[in-house]
């Protein structure tokens, strides 16, 4: 069992070394500037989530109003 766990961890480490990390582009950059691309990507994701949430909430509100009006009209 421990051998399988060890093999799994070494395989994961090997795959992570193949990944392209956003902060490896320039070795001279240090500190928070190193994570500028990561911060930009995170901001894009957060803005997209807020916009999608607003879109879904708006249409949920509209559909609830339409269904309520239809129920009142048919009653």
């Amino acid at each position: 069992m421990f051998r399988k766990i060890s093999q799994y961890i070494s395989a994961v480490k090997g795959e992570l070394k193949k990944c392209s990390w956003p902060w490896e582009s320039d070795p001279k950059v240090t500190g928070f500037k190193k994570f500028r691309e990561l911060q930009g990507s995170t901001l894009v994701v957060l803005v997209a989530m807020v916009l999608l949430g607003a879109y879904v909430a708006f249409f949920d509100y509209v559909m609830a109003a339409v269904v309520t009006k239809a129920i009142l009209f048919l009653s």
Side-chain angles (χ1 to χ4, degrees):
M1 180 174 92
F2 290 113
R3 191 180 68 175
K4 286 185 178 182
I5 293 172
S6 167
Q7 287 175 343
Y8 174 76
I9 290 173
S10 65
V12 168
K13 284 182 182 178
E15 290 299 320
L16 286 175
K17 287 180 183 177
K18 296 178 189 176
C19 292
S20 165
W21 298 100
W23 49 80
E24 288 182 0
S25 59
D26 188 6
K28 292 184 241 171
V29 177
T30 59
F32 285 112
K33 291 180 183 177
K34 193 174 182 182
F35 301 103
R36 188 164 302 209
E37 183 180 346
L38 184 62
Q39 291 170 346
S41 300
T42 302
L43 183 63
V44 168
V45 169
L46 291 175
V47 168
M49 286 175 34
V50 168
L51 291 175
L52 182 61
Y55 178 79
V56 170
F58 172 74
F59 279 102
D60 182 50
Y61 176 76
V62 169
M63 292 305 294
V66 168
V67 169
T68 302
K69 297 282 184 185
I71 290 172
L72 292 175
F73 180 73
L74 295 174
S75 295

